[in-house]
Amino acid sequence: MTMIFNKVLRAGFQAGLRFQSTGPQASARAAVASLREAHGGFSFELTEQQKEFQELARKFAREEIVPAAPSYDRSGEYPFPLIKRAWELGLMNGHIPEDCGGMGLGIFDACLITEELAFGCTGVQTAIEANSLGQMPVIIAGSAAQKKKYLGRMTEEPLMCAYCVTEPGAGSDVAGIKTRAVKKGDEYVVTGQKMWITNGGKANWYFLLARTDPDPKAPASKAFTGFIVEADTPGVQPGRKEMNMGQRCSDTRGITFEEVRIPKENVLIGEGAGFKIAMGAFDKTRPPVAAGAVGLAQRALEEATKYALERKTFGKVIAEHQAVSFILAEMAMKVELARMAYQRAAWEVDQGRRNTYFASIAKAFAGDIANQCAADAVQVFGGNGFNSEYPVEKLMRDAKIYQIYEGTAQIQRLIISREHLGKFKQ
Amino acid sequence: MSGRVLVGVKRVIDYAVKIRVKPDHTGVVTDGVKHSMNPFCEIAVEEAVKLKEKKLIKEVVAVSCGPQQVQETIRTALAMGADRGIHVEVSGKDYETLGPLQVSKILAALAKKEQADLIILGKQAIDDDCNQTGQMTAALLDWPQGTFASEVTLDADKLKVVREIDGGLETIKIKLPAVVTADLRLNTPRYATLPNIMKAKKKKIANVKPADLGVDVSSRLEVLKVDEPPQRQAGVKVETVDDLVGKLKEAGRI
């Protein structure tokens, strides 16, 4: 071997530990069809292009995100240089359709990339993912003009956007949001308070959900409207950056809307269509969030494995003690299963089918195992794991939010039981 | 001047992989092992693409010799900015014995066929560490060579090459057509961006056989045995400085 010091120093991780990820992808339907024939109708094979995307994201995450993550976590500073770099490499905004300057990637391809970036740092990855969440309502419900205007600009410069639905008094109960939008001539005037908005202080524009029907008895499916709001509209007041347990470099804020005037051209679909749009976005964004949780769990597994092969106790490396190797085995089980779950959910929606059942299963499971694997990794590291000089305590702090945002673990179970019972009754 | 640059890219076992010798000691395990583009070849591709971006050359052609799998390596070069690829098909026993002499004959033949002005190669491959292909190719073509390049400046038909040598840096001026081999500090290879990976699929890779180029790939070398480096022996602890000096004298070290 020759002296490739630069590369060896920069890349800290063995490429060999992880095998290629799996799952067919509908964006090359002809290729998939022939793959299906060859593999007997079911395939875990990635296309060449998917492998290359994954390789690119993996290289970027391990060489650039991993080394920078600890200092962003300590300072809480927004990782704009990393985000800009991801944008330059085409790792962001993958869902934006080609006619708006994007790459029109399917959810599966996006998930492959998301998992790799999350391996590097879920704080960075969440900041990037929030763009997809904010854009999704526009992608699924925007008019050609709205798409061109708001998605187009994201491909011309590294801009951020945000999904503005949660309020201090309503998270899971989306129908309980109180932000009001009142029609006045050709505008809507919006007043209310949003909370826990990722990219709240950095967004160029928001997808906003507000109540347009004042009648408290109006059904949720008709009472809300989705808007696109330019962040510099007078009356939009982002609050302070919140100090959270984990994913600390991600920018999370409360946002006050004080008589904000939105032109009617910025309504998505029409008045009253908002709830369905906001919920519809989740079927496409839950698989990537699950993928992010898997990325974190994979990181936990790799860090714990590396440590277990180095640390010695009672005369041998701790990986040779079954108590420890069993912990690693269970972590591996969870990671592999969670990965297959998000791949199935992503594949289903790319095939054009409703994937709510699979998306909720993937997100619920991945969120839970990410927390378990992170805690297990700390355990494998022992006393060192509790210390901030080692990478795993950050994983524990970062993992918790995966059981909360994008639909809490409890809400996911509600959805899964409803879907399951619904299917059963048919 | 055709403005065409040929870049050789070799598919090798990835630098991060732990190499294992095959049980029969005929070589190293390659099945199921991660392969990627030789790091020095990446640097070569980057330099060629940079020259094209500066509009000093017109076309970058990536070449690789080997079985079907080397097409992945050519695709990586295409994703980095090469315009088209040439896959020289060599497989089976021929591939196992393929070495610098045969590859340089192939590259020389291609350079004449493609009317290349410049050939850029990595200085050596990380699997065999031969450091011969560039030099042999230049000799076969009777072209000047700038090896171990850490800086390359092109001016019309003259190339200024700063070479890394044992004593420091040597600057030479050579006339095109020429062969350059890339050293570590020549540049930092770019990532292929996602859009470029997608665009690379549309770029063409031509298939060619060595026989078509009039090249005989049979080897005059035979690998007798491949062994791991000897295990590092444990040291010996001594009590006093006198003991240490005594032991060193015994071992003939002083």
Side-chain angles (χ1 to χ4, degrees), chain A residues 2 7 49 52 56 64 89, chain B residues 124 129 191-192 194 197 201:
Chain A
T2 54
K7 285 207 137 190
Q49 186 175 269
E52 285 170 43
L56 171 63
E64 299 197 30
L89 293 174
Chain B
Q124 65 198 64
D129 282 338
Y191 294 111
L194 218 80
I197 291 174
K201 286 172 65 180

Side-chain angles (χ1 to χ4, degrees), chain A residues 62-381:
Chain A
R62 288 167 198 238
E63 290 181 12
E64 299 197 30
I65 300 182
V66 165
S71 84
Y72 279 115
D73 177 59
R74 271 190 295 273
S75 68
E77 189 193 329
Y78 195 66
F80 194 65
L82 287 173
I83 293 175
K84 182 154 180 278
R85 196 76 185 101
W87 181 87
E88 283 167 5
L89 293 174
L91 294 170
M92 248 170 87
N93 302 331
H95 308 293
I96 294 181
E98 289 180 71
D99 58 16
C100 296
M103 279 170 300
L105 291 185
I107 302 295
F108 191 96
D109 287 4
C111 284
L112 288 180
I113 295 169
T114 298
E115 185 190 332
E116 299 298 331
L117 297 183
F119 180 102
C121 173
T122 47
V124 174
Q125 202 285 317
T126 293
I128 293 175
E129 196 59 40
N131 261 22
S132 300
L133 185 54
Q135 290 161 10
M136 208 49 84
V138 181
I139 293 174
I140 61 179
S143 67
Q146 287 165 336
K147 283 187 200 176
K148 254 241 136 63
K149 186 171 179 191
Y150 291 101
L151 301 178
R153 64 171 73 162
M154 310 295 283
T155 59
E156 283 159 28
E157 318 167 43
L159 296 174
M160 310 309 288
C161 64
Y163 180 91
C164 229
V165 170
T166 301
E167 297 184 357
S172 297
D173 185 13
V174 175
I177 62 169
K178 299 243 177 330
T179 301
R180 279 282 283 127
V182 180
K183 186 127 194 269
K184 288 208 172 111
D186 276 348
E187 291 174 331
Y188 286 82
V189 181
V190 176
T191 299
Q193 179 75 36
K194 295 294 182 185
M195 191 55 180
W196 309 125
I197 308 304
T198 307
N199 281 343
K202 307 286 173 190
N204 174 270
W205 55 267
Y206 306 107
F207 164 73
L208 173 74
L209 192 71
R211 194 179 183 101
T212 33
D213 192 329
D215 178 4
K217 294 213 197 73
S221 54
K222 297 212 176 65
F224 301 96
T225 306
F227 299 92
I228 304 170
V229 185
E230 303 258 9
D232 59 6
T233 312
V236 175
Q237 295 155 19
R240 61 155 193 228
K241 177 190 152 82
E242 295 294 336
M243 304 297 286
N244 291 326
M245 177 198 276
Q247 297 191 7
R248 301 185 63 225
C249 65
S250 172
D251 183 277
T252 316
R253 297 180 196 241
I255 307 186
T256 308
F257 288 80
E258 181 99 46
E259 311 263 305
V260 176
R261 286 153 63 176
I262 307 172
K264 69 172 176 13
E265 288 75 34
N266 281 23
V267 169
L268 282 165
I269 298 185
E271 209 177 292
F275 192 79
K276 200 152 175 249
I277 300 171
M279 296 298 107
F282 284 143
D283 282 346
K284 299 208 168 203
T285 55
R286 274 179 188 152
V289 172
V294 174
L296 187 151
Q298 177 70 34
R299 178 81 186 269
L301 176 58
E302 278 190 33
E303 294 287 354
T305 309
K306 258 192 359 183
Y307 187 83
L309 290 169
E310 287 166 3
R311 175 83 178 183
K312 274 186 148 161
T313 192
F314 298 109
K316 40 190 180 175
V317 291
I318 63 174
E320 286 177 32
H321 294 292
Q322 267 187 350
V324 174
S325 65
F326 277 21
I327 294 179
L328 295 175
E330 290 182 15
M331 286 168 82
M333 283 157 63
K334 293 167 185 170
V335 170
E336 292 294 338
L337 293 171
R339 182 170 297 129
M340 285 196 261
Y342 86 66
Q343 289 180 335
R344 177 68 189 272
W347 183 81
E348 287 286 329
V349 76
D350 282 342
Q351 296 289 331
R353 291 192 283 270
R354 188 170 170 275
N355 72 335
T356 311
Y357 175 72
F358 293 104
S360 280
I361 288 179
K363 200 272 175 182
F365 189 71
D368 289 350
I369 64 103
N371 276 274
Q372 291 161 19
C373 289
D376 286 342
V378 172
Q379 192 65 21
V380 169
F381 272 69

Side-chain angles (χ1 to χ4, degrees), chain A residues 389-407:
Chain A
E389 296 277 307
Y390 292 80
V392 288
E393 59 81 25
K394 172 178 181 287
L395 298 179
M396 248 186 101
R397 289 184 287 108
D398 286 346
K400 189 58 194 157
I401 193 67
Y402 278 108
Q403 287 175 312
I404 299 172
Y405 67 17
E406 199 75 19

